[in-house]
Amino acid sequence: MKAGFVNIFGKPNAGKSTLLNALVGEKLAIVSPKVQTTRHRIKGILTTDAYQIILSDTPGIIPEARYKLHERMMGAVKGALEDADVAVLLLDVQDNWEENDLLFGSLRLKVPSVLVLNKTDRVPPAKLEEAIAFFRDKSYAKKIVSLSALTQTGIPDLLAAVTDLLPEGEPFFAEDELTDLPEKFFVAELVREKIFQYLQDEIPYEATVLVQEFKHKSTLIKIGAVIVVQRESQKAIILGEGGRMIKKIGSEARAEIEKFLQSKVFLELFVKVRPKWRENDLLLREYGY
Ligand code: GDP
Ligand code: MG
């Protein structure tokens, strides 16, 4: 069995959403609120007897920044990709190859990646061959797959390439846990969004939010979430003077969560210091594996 996190990255319009839909289909596609700032935005989970692929995408690239990404955005993208087990680097084969090469190369990824040439339905075979030749020797293109996300040709090739690079391991999520996962994840994302809004610099990127309690009561939903940081100093900043910062994050996040869940919510936030946490390990533990 192979299992792991797979993150899809590419410029706007490369076809990320279309590819995610092609991969997970309507059934498991999770509709995300407009959160651009998160490490893993889980979009779907593909489970078979042979593998579990947990698909997410990266924070959006500011379109006007093009490939000269704002440093911090680039940090977030790189962070998200390196938290994954496999990165899928997607480009529209009709787009500028050099520009995409610069973008992908500048990530200097340490995780294995698959280069995906999308929209093959739009170019003649000779052009596609030329593109494959252009990317063949690039360090981030260990494997190259060409496909059309729109017409859904070449999807099995991508799954084979990704599965080949996935680590051996048991599934992270049981099939029957999938139903309330989206809600839990989005609640965590909404808390994270507030952390991004109010705290600067490295804190948002080094903090993760785990929803540990999610209980439907008669008049409200009781949610307990823990914000995990790496250092005591970060904990102090998140708490704020006299606990004012965490109160602000909590009350604003609660308002958003209530809108999202369409229910009254009681939200309890805790902060925990865990040096060098790995998000995947925490997720594993949270879901009881
Ligand atoms: P994203 O910005 O990376 O999420 O890109 P989208 O998935 O929204 O796709 C951008 C546009 O490209 C949309 O109009 C899609 O229909 C189109 N598109 C995506 N994949 C393909 C493909 O394989 N072939 C063609 N012809 N169009 C595609
Ligand atoms: Mg999209």
Side-chain angles (χ1 to χ4, degrees):
M1 187 82 188
K2 292 188 154 197
F5 287 73
V6 175
N7 201 313
I8 300 179
F9 172 70
K11 284 169 59 180
N13 278 317
K16 296 178 292 296
S17 305
T18 311
L19 179 60
L20 278 162
N21 276 337
L23 286 168
V24 300
E26 301 294 316
K27 200 173 50 158
L28 275 179
I30 297 164
V31 182
S32 153
K34 288 197 176 66
V35 180
Q36 290 287 314
T37 49
T38 55
R39 203 180 295 260
H40 286 304
R41 303 192 301 176
I42 296 203
K43 291 302 179 74
I45 299 172
L46 289 174
T47 310
T48 69
D49 291 343
Y51 60 77
Q52 180 168 78
I53 295 173
I54 302 153
L55 288 160
S56 55
D57 62 358
T58 46
I61 307 174
I62 312 153
E64 61 271 25
R66 293 288 187 92
Y67 59 94
K68 282 186 182 165
L69 290 179
H70 190 281
E71 217 170 275
R72 188 167 135 159
M73 215 57 203
M74 197 66 157
V77 167
K78 193 171 151 63
L81 287 169
E82 295 203 325
D83 271 352
D85 298 296
V86 177
V88 169
L89 305 176
L90 184 71
L91 81 138
D92 177 346
V93 68
Q94 306 165 106
D95 191 17
N96 186 312
W97 301 340
E98 280 86 7
E99 214 174 282
N100 280 278
D101 174 43
L102 245 159
L103 175 62
F104 298 150
S106 64
L107 290 167
R108 297 180 206 292
L109 287 181
K110 290 189 206 83
V111 293
S113 50
V114 179
L115 181 78
V116 177
L117 305 171
N118 186 30
K119 310 196 190 182
T120 53
D121 59 296
R122 298 292 293 272
V123 294
K127 183 87 178 163
L128 182 60
E129 282 310 314
E130 210 184 308
I132 291 170
F134 175 87
F135 285 104
R136 185 166 286 138
D137 298 326
K138 308 296 184 190
S139 60
Y140 51 79
K142 266 253 163 69
K143 288 176 185 282
I144 300 181
V145 172
S146 51
L147 54 79
S148 167
L150 192 68
T151 66
Q152 308 203 354
T153 46
I155 300 292
D157 296 342
L158 175 59
L159 288 172
V162 165
T163 308
D164 205 38
L165 297 174
L166 273 187
E168 305 266 341
E170 290 306 305
F172 286 70
F173 303 109
E175 280 294 342
D176 60 0
E177 275 180 311
L178 294 183
T179 44
D180 75 331
L181 259 183
E183 284 189 343
K184 274 187 165 186
F185 273 109
F186 292 140
V187 164
E189 306 288 66
L190 290 170
V191 175
R192 248 173 93 73
E193 193 182 33
K194 291 298 157 196
I195 298 173
F196 264 89
Q197 197 173 328
Y198 291 114
L199 297 170
Q200 312 274 312
D201 303 327
E202 88 277 18
I203 290 193
Y205 299 107
E206 294 199 353
T208 198
V209 178
L210 297 174
V211 172
Q212 298 194 311
E213 187 185 6
F214 193 98
K215 283 202 187 105
H216 292 266
K217 306 269 183 188
S218 54
T219 57
L220 53 72
I221 300 173
K222 184 166 186 278
I223 297 172
V226 54
I227 302 169
V228 185
V229 292
Q230 302 194 23
R231 287 190 288 273
E232 286 294 339
S233 59
Q234 294 171 332
K235 177 176 175 176
I237 292 168
I238 287 183
L239 290 176
E241 251 187 80
R244 273 198 285 276
M245 179 53 78
I246 193 156
K247 225 177 237 164
K248 183 153 101 175
I249 289 169
S251 70
E252 293 204 12
R254 179 178 46 77
E256 301 271 336
I257 294 166
E258 287 184 336
K259 256 190 274 169
F260 173 67
L261 296 174
Q262 310 245 297
S263 161
K264 225 174 131 45
V265 162
F266 177 75
L267 176 66
E268 236 180 337
L269 290 181
F270 309 90
V271 186
K272 259 191 211 164
V273 180
R274 203 172 289 171
K276 300 232 186 287
W277 57 268
R278 281 234 335 153
E279 191 167 11
N280 293 356
D281 296 344
L282 287 177
L283 282 171
L284 269 177
R285 230 166 287 146
E286 189 193 6
Y287 293 102
Y289 287 97

